Amino acid sequence: MINNIKGCRQDLKHSHGRRPRRQCKWVIGPWTKFPSQPKNFARSIMEVLRPQLIRIEGRIYRKNFIQEQTYQHEDEDDDFYGEPMECSEELGDSYVVEQTERGFQCAVSVPSLLFKYIIGKKGETRKKLEMETRTSINIPKPGVEGEIVITGQQRGGVISAKTRIDVLVESFRRKQPFTHFLSFSLNQPDVQEGFLKFQEKVLEKCSMDRGVSSCLFQNPAKLHLTIGTLVLLNDQEIQWACELLQQCKEDFINKIAGGKALLAEMLGIEYMNDDPSMMDVLYAKVHMKDGSDRLQVIADQLVERFVSSGLMMKEWDKVKLHATVMNTLFRKDPTAEDRNNAPASKSGPRERESFDGRNILKLFENFSFGDLHLNSIHISQRFSTDSSGYYASSGQVDFS
């Protein structure tokens, strides 16, 4: 229910014993605030109706939408703090809270890159956390990896501070650009040769179509199938990802693959936007040679396991088994990744010049790039290159 502007302050005060901040113009429920700008109102409504869900240590939290006014020269990412949340003793059962001579203590593992979001501008976020939870929060110096230590006289206060820090960390982790991705390498010699033939024929027959040029094509040495993207912010998180991948091999990959490489093929092309005359990305499809769904099952179960661990965000119901072959991002940056929904910069989304792909689809709909022997899954480093020309790997598992 939307309270009108005149009544919102008084109703909220009587119903909940607290005043909204001065920036509040509309109120839906007790703690959700909208900006005064009409152009943002529809987006704000959707934030309330479909709030962001955050998974932390097996629990799912709903993140309420809160937007405060920002001022010139301020970085809104440096100071974010939601309204107080209620935390029960039951919520802290999964937390390791130690009893000390002076009360209680809990350590929180947080990458140093995210310390600034817990500290806030001039330490305001930390001060507010400490005041509202009646705790002391010790944070390592910037750039120094280490645990954040929370101490307090009441166990509930320590649990509350820990939960709020977890939510802050997860919220800002989602804003970080991905650093790694799970991948199958598709740069086998026969496929690279087939890809170069595809590029040659496309340029021969379609170079006069709007926007089509040689700069759109993927580097053949970096042909890959992305299973999912990861934000790994320190060596410890990379190690966790490697250990989880190894566990996945033992739990289900070995059984599905049968200890052998998967025989697949890159066959056919597809696009994702509605209008083929305004393409940004063109993909090659990857199929199992035997017609089975084993590759799909492995990819989907990997995503499910990594999402459950908190290391990955789920983007699709099923992993799309394809490889980027043309991408308009490559016009300005040949090293750009095949991820269209990477976080945009504050100056706005990156401008892209689309291309007309109708003739390419018509002429090469069933083009065969070659056969594949998929024998490894990599934790690939974004913006990197190894001695073979593929992405540098932080870890991998082999099928045979």
Side-chain angles (χ1 to χ4, degrees):
M1 177 179 179
I2 301 180
N3 300 314
N4 60 35
I5 297 177
K6 293 181 180 179
C8 78
R9 297 177 187 274
Q10 192 68 25
D11 290 346
L12 191 61
K13 178 180 178 183
H14 289 318
S15 298
H16 304 282
R18 58 189 299 143
R19 290 182 180 274
R21 297 180 184 175
R22 293 181 179 178
Q23 292 88 346
C24 174
K25 297 297 181 183
W26 297 84
V27 175
I28 296 183
W31 295 291
T32 305
K33 305 175 180 63
F34 289 103
S36 58
Q37 295 88 340
K39 66 180 180 179
N40 291 329
F41 185 73
R43 181 181 69 83
S44 302
I45 288 286
M46 291 308 298
E47 292 281 358
V48 172
L49 297 179
R50 300 180 63 182
Q52 178 182 337
L53 300 179
I54 299 174
R55 181 187 296 270
I56 300 173
E57 298 185 1
R59 297 179 182 272
I60 298 177
Y61 298 84
R62 182 180 67 186
K63 176 184 173 186
N64 288 337
F65 172 74
I66 299 173
Q67 180 166 339
E68 306 295 341
Q69 291 182 356
T70 56
Y71 303 92
Q72 191 174 9
H73 307 306
E74 283 191 357
D75 183 350
E76 63 181 357
D77 282 355
D78 285 344
D79 190 13
F80 170 91
Y81 185 69
E83 295 293 334
M85 63 180 72
E86 296 296 328
C87 300
S88 66
E89 289 291 325
E90 180 182 357
L91 187 64
D93 288 346
S94 61
Y95 296 164
V96 179
V97 179
E98 300 176 357
Q99 188 165 5
T100 66
E101 294 180 357
R102 297 185 177 181
F104 297 87
Q105 177 176 295
C106 181
V108 188
S109 180
V110 177
S112 61
L113 185 66
L114 302 180
F115 287 169
K116 63 180 180 179
Y117 301 120
I118 301 169
I119 297 171
K121 282 189 178 68
K122 299 180 181 179
E124 288 300 318
T125 300
R126 174 166 58 179
K127 290 176 184 177
K128 189 170 184 179
L129 279 168
E130 290 177 329
M131 179 184 67
E132 293 182 349
T133 61
R134 297 182 180 180
T135 59
S136 175
I137 301 173
N138 183 37
I139 301 175
K141 294 180 180 179
V144 178
E145 294 294 340
E147 293 181 325
I148 293 175
V149 179
I150 307 166
T151 56
Q153 294 183 358
Q154 300 296 323
R155 185 175 187 274
V158 172
I159 292 172
S160 178
K162 202 275 186 187
T163 302
R164 298 184 198 195
I165 288 174
D166 283 343
V167 172
L168 281 173
V169 167
E170 188 61 24
S171 296
F172 285 104
R173 177 185 290 279
R174 289 170 178 260
K175 296 185 178 183
Q176 305 302 312
F178 74 97
T179 59
H180 297 72
F181 55 100
L182 290 180
S183 74
F184 284 101
S185 170
L186 308 180
N187 66 348
Q188 297 168 21
D190 290 347
V191 172
Q192 288 197 53
E193 183 179 348
F195 173 81
L196 291 173
K197 288 181 181 178
F198 171 77
Q199 178 177 340
E200 180 183 352
K201 290 183 178 181
V202 168
L203 293 176
E204 176 185 336
K205 298 183 178 182
C206 306
S207 61
M208 299 302 294
D209 294 344
R210 183 189 61 80
V212 175
S213 70
S214 60
C215 66
L216 297 180
F217 290 86
Q218 173 70 280
N219 177 350
K222 292 199 169 182
L223 287 167
H224 65 279
L225 188 162
T226 298
I227 300 170
T229 57
L230 303 162
V231 178
L232 306 177
L233 300 179
N234 58 22
D235 292 340
Q236 185 181 30
E237 293 188 347
I238 293 173
Q239 183 61 33
W240 287 344
C242 292
E243 292 172 359
L244 181 57
L245 182 59
Q246 180 62 38
Q247 189 63 50
C248 290
K249 178 186 177 182
E250 297 171 5
D251 289 349
F252 60 85
I253 293 175
N254 284 341
K255 181 178 180 180
I256 297 172
K260 299 178 181 179
L262 299 179
L263 301 182
E265 61 182 336
M266 266 178 68
L267 175 65
I269 55 176
E270 64 179 351
Y271 69 105
M272 288 194 178
N273 53 302
D274 296 330
D275 188 352
S277 68
M278 298 285 288
M279 279 191 195
D280 278 321
V281 185
L282 184 70
Y283 302 94
K285 294 182 280 188
V286 180
H287 312 266
M288 286 291 295
K289 292 282 285 185
D290 62 6
S292 73
D293 64 350
R294 289 187 296 157
L295 178 59
Q296 185 73 61
V297 171
I298 288 175
D300 289 342
Q301 289 194 20
L302 279 168
V303 169
E304 182 179 350
R305 186 67 65 88
F306 272 78
V307 168
S308 296
S309 74
L311 290 174
M312 181 182 291
M313 288 188 295
K314 190 168 186 176
E315 299 178 68
W316 312 99
D317 291 335
K318 297 176 64 176
V319 175
K320 299 185 182 300
L321 302 180
H322 58 216
T324 298
V325 293
M326 297 175 70
N327 191 331
T328 55
L329 287 180
F330 295 155
R331 290 190 197 278
K332 296 181 179 180
D333 182 5
T335 66
E337 305 294 343
D338 64 333
R339 176 173 164 93
N340 297 320
N341 59 341
S345 64
K346 290 185 180 179
S347 59
R350 184 172 186 174
E351 295 182 0
R352 302 173 69 162
E353 178 191 348
S354 65
F355 65 94
D356 188 342
R358 289 174 293 181
N359 283 332
I360 299 176
L361 286 172
K362 181 179 179 180
L363 296 172
F364 304 101
E365 180 181 4
N366 296 309
F367 185 89
S368 177
F369 294 85
D371 292 344
L372 294 159
H373 289 72
L374 303 179
N375 194 43
S376 301
I377 298 172
H378 300 263
I379 299 177
S380 300
Q381 300 175 30
R382 193 182 187 192
F383 302 129
S384 67
T385 304
D386 66 11
S387 58
S388 71
Y390 192 63
Y391 297 94
S393 179
S394 295
Q396 72 177 68
V397 294
D398 299 325
F399 296 173
S400 63

